[in-house]
Amino acid sequence: MHFTNLMCFFRLISIIVISGVIYLLMYQLNSIQDALKLRDNPKININPFWQRDSQRRGESNSATQLKDWHELESIAKEATRKGIGELGQASKLDDPPDPEFHRILSKQNGFNAFLSDQISVNRLLPDIRSLGCKNKKYFANLPSVSIVIPFNNEHFTALVRSLHSLVNRSPPELLREIILVDDYSDRTELKRNLDRYVKAHIPKAKIIRLPQRMGLIAARLAGVDKAVGDVLVFLDAHIEANYNWLPPLLHLIALDKRTVVCPMIDVIDDRTFEYSAQDEGARGAFDWNFDYKRLPLLKSNKNDPTEPYENPIMSGGIFAISREWFWELGAYDDGLEIWGGEQYELSFKIWMCGGRLLDAPCSRVGHIFRNAEWDDVIPGRDDDYVHRNFKRVAEVWMDDYKHYIYNKANGTYEKIDAGNLTKQLELRNKLHCKSFKWFIENVAFDLVKMYPPKGNTDFAFGQVRSVGASNLCLDTLGPPDYSFVGLRECDHDTKFPSRYQDWALSEDHDMRMRGEDYCLRAADLGAQTSFVIIFDCHFGDPNQVWYYNRRTQWLMYSEHEDLCLKAMPENKRVILDACKTNNALFKWTFVHVNNVLLDQYFKTLPNKKKVKIN
């Protein structure tokens, strides 16, 4: 009897051991399956890549516990603040400075620097997130962060306002450090004064000073080289972080270290410092001039305004990435100089080499977009480093698609030596990266529809001069920034005018800046009269179709058969209004008209729409 009981006992132990082994094998298999599903389902919770670091810090191993990261007491305390610019409201000075001094200061900084000095560096911002964001919870155990901010001659109050917003609105247990990289500034206040200020008010910040001007890319790499946080967050030096901006970024990276996340970028007005949403969001892209463009959100992206969505191309200035993954990707190509192309290179690498790029609508960061007067000229650099950077990116990552970039540039790239690309090509091979065709077909699948890689055969081009006000020409009134177009004095050189007065009625039947992908359209679609704005060209968009009637000299807005472009010389604007035959302000002349092509205009319309022109 005793022997029989002993045998039963050993059988029981054997069953337990075998069951345990089977359980462990099944657990391991399920973990692998979860990892494979992760990129398609960001809600899956697994042990994060940085757990080994959190264990060293003595934190909980649980990666699935959720937490509300809102600092409600801090938000309530901020809400009591009063003063100029508080709550992100538009501001102006009752007693403005000398106009010439104000103009010089604005030109030096690209924004209203004098007003910046009057606004608190701790100002209150409006919480413009979707309501659902305020109820979101994220992992209680999130990775630590190193924020890298390069700057050169940044205005002092704009820079320290950026720092205060980060400290005030980032959980202290997550913010490991802020690394400021001074790219050889020569302003006095950015030396000893900044050192003292940071030491007294921003203890988590440290400053690295470069021995010579090296540009954005090298400055970022210098900061990353000193970073110790699990996640790198790259920011510009003139931003303001909004409420609970950090956890939505880190949560997605904690799920998968190969996920790179961008916040929604809000607009801080360069004149008034008003804080507002740019729009409901968009997906990044590029045209075949390598200008950054935006694609509309997909229908699925709009189902829940709080959910992250995939983004083909980052805008480049503001994003979060695992430090480990950044180095695995080879960081930035160290052959890229100053700035230009770095956001394309990194975006291509992320997607083609096994990662993904997301925008997180519940994370918002305001950014000052500098005005047209600002010009960041780097002393001693008159070489074309931007196109050289573009060529390096195209040669390594774009396969045969690079020829669309080269053909658009009319021989520019043929004269440029891209340098040694051996290391970058070896990296692409080592990481088993996919083809650029895969990227276009699976990630940026609507890019070629919006920005088709085509030639430059124009129906008409050059300066567009008003007949009724013959000294005035159609002008973008500055760099294209989705603002109103108008009239300016015509450039004397009619054959080679400035890019702001060089137009094309293009083969896509739109009115665009010649050789570029910025097009004219009505500001108020469907209205009887409307101002005209410059916008990203969208091939086939009926709201961007134009026609030039040689007999009447009308520029007709073809989606609306009775609307024509009219000059308003009294305020230097242009509008769309009902066409009038005997009014010279509706008449325009192009420097060049291709009569043969214009005879074929209606035959080449994509939808063969007939416009009444007689």
Side-chain angles (χ1 to χ4, degrees):
M1 195 63 146
H2 177 74
F3 178 76
T4 302
N5 289 341
L6 189 60
M7 289 299 293
C8 290
F9 174 76
F10 280 120
R11 283 197 190 101
L12 180 61
I13 293 297
S14 299
I15 290 170
I16 293 172
V17 170
I18 292 170
S19 299
V21 170
I22 292 173
Y23 173 82
L24 289 173
L25 289 173
M26 292 298 295
Y27 177 84
Q28 195 71 11
L29 179 60
N30 288 334
S31 297
I32 294 171
Q33 290 173 336
D34 282 348
L36 292 173
K37 292 177 183 176
L38 182 59
R39 288 177 54 199
D40 297 322
N41 183 3
K43 295 180 179 179
I44 294 174
N45 297 328
I46 61 171
N47 290 334
F49 71 96
W50 46 270
Q51 187 178 28
R52 57 185 180 274
D53 296 324
S54 62
Q55 287 174 337
R56 283 200 296 267
R57 294 194 298 266
E59 298 170 359
S60 169
N61 292 338
S62 174
T64 58
Q65 184 180 353
L66 298 178
K67 173 181 175 179
D68 184 346
W69 283 92
H70 287 88
E71 297 183 336
L72 299 178
E73 290 185 11
S74 175
I75 294 173
K77 183 179 179 181
E78 278 199 354
T80 63
R81 296 183 56 86
K82 297 185 182 299
I84 185 170
E86 293 296 340
L87 204 61
Q89 293 180 343
S91 304
K92 64 179 182 178
L93 301 175
D94 295 329
D95 186 19
D98 175 74
E100 181 61 17
F101 170 73
H102 184 273
R103 188 192 69 79
I104 292 173
L105 201 59
S106 178
K107 182 177 175 63
Q108 286 177 342
N109 296 282
F111 53 81
N112 191 342
F114 192 88
L115 178 59
S116 176
D117 293 344
Q118 315 307 311
I119 296 174
S120 169
V121 293
N122 284 292
R123 75 161 174 168
L124 171 69
L125 292 182
D127 188 352
I128 59 177
R129 296 173 298 164
S130 297
L131 287 176
C133 293
K134 301 174 185 180
N135 299 317
K136 286 271 187 179
K137 294 183 179 181
Y138 304 99
F139 291 148
N141 184 13
L142 288 171
S144 64
V145 170
S146 292
I147 296 176
V148 179
I149 303 178
F151 69 94
N152 170 262
N153 287 339
E154 188 67 51
H155 191 64
F156 187 87
T157 54
L159 175 59
V160 299
R161 186 176 297 110
S162 302
L163 299 178
H164 279 288
S165 77
L166 294 170
V167 171
N168 293 343
R169 301 189 183 102
S170 301
E173 62 267 43
L174 301 180
L175 182 57
R176 184 75 175 269
E177 59 188 353
I178 301 174
I179 302 174
L180 296 169
V181 185
D182 180 2
D183 190 15
Y184 206 59
S185 299
D186 56 18
R187 295 185 182 181
T188 304
E189 66 271 20
L190 296 176
K191 300 301 181 183
R192 186 171 298 177
N193 288 351
L194 181 61
D195 290 341
R196 291 171 177 168
Y197 190 94
V198 165
K199 184 177 181 180
H201 301 285
I202 318 290
K204 288 191 176 182
K206 57 186 176 185
I207 304 173
I208 298 171
R209 301 195 187 276
L210 303 182
Q212 63 186 34
R213 185 75 187 274
M214 298 179 70
L216 172 71
I217 299 167
R220 282 183 177 173
L221 289 174
V224 173
D225 191 54
K226 302 295 183 182
V228 297
D230 304 309
V231 169
L232 304 169
V233 176
F234 294 96
L235 296 173
D236 286 343
H238 36 272
I239 59 93
E240 291 180 63
N242 214 313
Y243 296 109
N244 210 44
W245 73 285
L246 194 52
L249 306 179
L250 301 183
H251 181 90
L252 294 166
I253 296 174
L255 282 166
D256 182 356
K257 77 168 185 180
R258 293 177 177 82
T259 295
V260 181
V261 196
C262 301
M264 296 288 280
I265 301 177
D266 296 325
V267 176
I268 302 172
D269 189 273
D270 64 274
R271 295 163 295 125
T272 67
F273 275 73
E274 180 182 16
Y275 188 107
S276 60
Q278 185 172 187
D279 50 33
E280 74 280 4
R283 295 153 53 240
F286 60 89
D287 63 18
W288 302 97
N289 289 312
F290 249 162
D291 288 333
Y292 178 77
K293 298 291 186 179
R294 306 177 86 211
L295 297 170
L297 293 178
L298 303 175
K299 185 178 180 179
S300 59
N301 301 149
K302 300 178 182 179
N303 293 335
D304 184 345
T306 71
E307 281 297 303
Y309 55 85
E310 293 186 343
N311 183 11
I313 301 291
M314 66 171 66
S315 62
I318 301 176
F319 65 97
I321 184 172
S322 153
R323 179 165 57 95
E324 187 176 319
W325 176 230
F326 185 69
W327 286 118
E328 285 181 23
L329 285 172
Y332 287 118
D333 170 8
D334 56 11
L336 299 177
E337 296 188 273
I338 312 300
W339 65 267
E342 73 281 354
Q343 80 272 43
Y344 300 135
E345 189 227 7
L346 190 54
S347 298
F348 295 160
K349 284 198 291 191
I350 291 166
W351 281 112
M352 293 165 62
C353 305
R356 65 175 182 168
L357 180 60
L358 301 179
D359 275 12
C362 288
S363 173
R364 308 192 76 103
V365 175
H367 178 266
I368 302 174
F369 293 89
R370 299 186 195 265
N371 60 39
E373 291 187 334
W374 182 72
D375 187 11
D376 184 27
V377 177
I378 297 182
R381 292 301 299 255
D382 55 1
D383 56 317
D384 191 356
Y385 53 82
V386 173
H387 280 102
R388 180 178 180 274
N389 287 355
F390 286 169
K391 187 169 184 178
R392 288 184 68 86
V393 174
E395 287 290 327
V396 174
W397 297 102
M398 296 186 71
D399 303 331
D400 287 342
Y401 284 79
K402 67 187 178 185
H403 297 298
Y404 292 125
I405 298 285
Y406 298 164
N407 292 342
K408 195 83 168 173
N410 299 319
T412 297
Y413 289 100
E414 295 174 8
K415 308 168 188 175
I416 293 176
D417 179 8
N420 191 327
L421 300 172
T422 303
K423 185 166 72 171
Q424 283 66 43
L425 292 170
E426 288 177 348
L427 175 72
R428 179 173 174 177
N429 183 60
K430 174 185 175 184
L431 296 177
H432 306 292
C433 303
K434 294 182 174 69
S435 68
F436 196 76
K437 184 175 186 291
W438 174 89
F439 172 81
I440 287 292
E441 292 179 349
N442 293 275
V443 180
F445 43 81
D446 51 347
L447 184 148
V448 294
K449 178 182 177 182
M450 293 292 190
Y451 308 106
K454 303 170 71 174
N456 288 308
T457 305
D458 301 322
F459 295 101
F461 60 89
Q463 269 185 336
V464 180
R465 185 182 294 261
S466 169
V467 174
S470 59
N471 63 321
L472 298 178
C473 285
L474 187 64
D475 195 290
T476 66
L477 306 181
D481 60 356
Y482 314 104
S483 59
F484 296 123
V485 297
L487 300 167
R488 274 189 177 159
E489 297 287 332
C490 295
D491 290 351
H492 295 298
D493 191 340
T494 59
K495 188 174 182 181
F496 299 106
S498 74
R499 65 186 287 244
Y500 307 137
Q501 291 189 7
D502 197 3
W503 298 94
L505 180 60
S506 83
E507 62 179 345
D508 291 331
H509 302 81
D510 50 39
M511 271 289 293
R512 65 177 60 206
M513 295 175 71
R514 191 178 177 206
E516 303 189 41
D517 286 314
Y518 296 100
C519 287
L520 297 186
R521 56 164 261 195
D524 188 1
L525 298 175
Q528 292 300 311
T529 61
S530 173
F531 288 112
V532 179
I533 60 174
I534 193 86
F535 204 76
D536 291 337
C537 299
H538 290 167
F539 175 67
D541 185 345
N543 295 306
Q544 293 183 356
V545 176
W546 293 78
Y547 174 68
Y548 183 59
N549 186 325
R550 287 160 289 180
R551 181 177 61 81
T552 60
Q553 295 181 297
W554 290 342
L555 257 174
M556 304 179 66
Y557 193 46
S558 299
E559 174 68 3
H560 306 273
E561 298 175 354
D562 60 344
L563 291 183
C564 289
L565 192 70
K566 180 184 178 182
M568 305 285 285
E570 66 275 12
N571 59 8
K572 301 291 182 67
R573 288 293 179 92
V574 295
I575 64 169
L576 288 168
D577 202 353
C579 307
K580 292 182 174 60
T581 305
N582 298 320
N583 190 332
L585 294 177
F586 284 91
K587 299 177 182 289
W588 303 87
T589 60
F590 279 92
V591 171
H592 304 278
V593 176
N594 189 326
N595 290 297
V596 174
L597 282 180
L598 202 54
D599 288 340
Q600 304 295 315
Y601 178 91
F602 295 107
K603 293 180 181 179
T604 57
L605 269 174
N607 59 0
K608 302 296 187 293
K609 178 174 180 175
K610 305 299 183 185
V611 180
K612 296 176 183 177
I613 63 172
N614 295 317

